Amino acid sequence: KSTLMQMGVRSLLVCRTSSPQTTGLLVLGHGNPRTWNRAEQELVSIISQQIALIWQIQYLQTQAQIESSSQQTLQSGLNAFLSFPQEPDAFEKAFIAFLAQLLTCPLAALFRWTSEKPLAQVAVSVVASPNFALPPDLAIDPGQDTLIQEALTTDGLLERRIQELSPKTRRWLSSTSTGCLLVMALPSSR
């Protein structure tokens, strides 16, 4: 109130405006003390309703653009998927490359281990910048790595900031440029 008075406002007309996603106030100020008549109040009420309608239209347009983009991405993914090689190793490489491109991420990697080879090794990686390169001889004990263990016990995607990782995980994921990780355990065919 004191800020408005310092600005020279002596009379206010305030009307709430809201859409399902946004709430706001339409505030009109006047430099002289006055009473707002009924017609002015109704006009401001109608204008606030129009503003709420504009907000709703903008929201729906944004949602439509997101849906359209999702549809295009899905179609692009399906088209790419159909063009991937049938041979498993080539398929994995093509899929990881597609995933890196789709998510515009500088590192995408697929780790693999078996009961015969119990240390996780990089099966496929796509690295857009040397800052994100993984050590070439990387071998991780999945039973001792907290990130891998957490991913194995999480349904779906696991998101972690680099600061949240254990020192042991940070030793092999040592890029100073990494800010956020998305990790997902793939179903095994045991």
Side-chain angles (χ1 to χ4, degrees):
K1 185 176 175 179
S2 62
T3 304
L4 292 171
M5 290 187 75
Q6 289 172 355
M7 292 170 48
V9 175
R10 297 296 178 253
S11 179
L12 284 176
L13 179 58
V14 179
C15 186
R16 181 177 184 268
T17 184
S18 67
S19 70
Q21 294 75 29
T22 308
T23 300
L25 293 175
L26 177 57
V27 179
L28 297 160
H30 198 279
N32 295 320
R34 62 167 291 187
T35 301
W36 301 87
N37 66 41
R38 185 118 180 105
E40 292 169 324
Q41 292 175 16
E42 286 178 17
L43 177 63
V44 170
S45 176
I46 290 169
I47 291 171
S48 73
Q49 291 170 11
Q50 295 299 313
I51 290 170
L53 183 60
I54 290 168
W55 287 347
Q56 182 65 15
I57 290 169
Q58 287 175 330
Y59 172 78
L60 292 173
Q61 285 175 333
T62 301
Q63 290 303 110
Q65 289 171 342
I66 290 169
E67 286 295 320
S68 175
S69 176
S70 296
Q71 290 285 8
Q72 289 172 355
T73 301
L74 179 60
Q75 187 63 48
S76 168
L78 290 173
N79 290 339
F81 186 75
L82 292 172
S83 69
F84 288 166
Q86 297 299 311
E87 193 272 316
D89 288 341
F91 178 87
E92 287 175 351
K93 184 162 184 65
F95 184 76
I96 296 299
F98 172 74
L99 193 59
Q101 179 185 4
L102 178 67
L103 298 176
T104 61
C105 59
L107 169 66
L110 175 63
F111 293 87
R112 185 185 305 147
W113 64 96
T114 65
S115 55
E116 294 82 31
K117 295 181 180 179
L119 294 180
Q121 295 181 318
V122 178
V124 178
S125 70
V126 175
V127 181
S129 164
N131 293 345
F132 293 92
L134 296 168
D137 58 346
L138 181 60
I140 308 162
D141 182 349
Q144 299 298 313
D145 188 85
T146 54
L147 179 64
I148 292 175
Q149 283 301 303
E150 192 174 3
L152 290 171
T153 59
T154 300
D155 287 333
L157 287 171
L158 171 67
E159 182 179 351
R160 288 290 171 260
R161 300 242 168 258
I162 197 75
Q163 300 87 344
E164 299 171 336
L165 301 179
S166 71
K168 195 171 206 172
T169 300
R170 284 173 146 177
R171 277 196 291 275
W172 64 264
L173 194 60
S174 59
S175 171
T176 57
S177 302
T178 305
C180 183
L181 298 170
L182 284 178
V183 182
M184 183 174 179
L186 301 176
S188 64
S189 56
R190 290 185 212 175

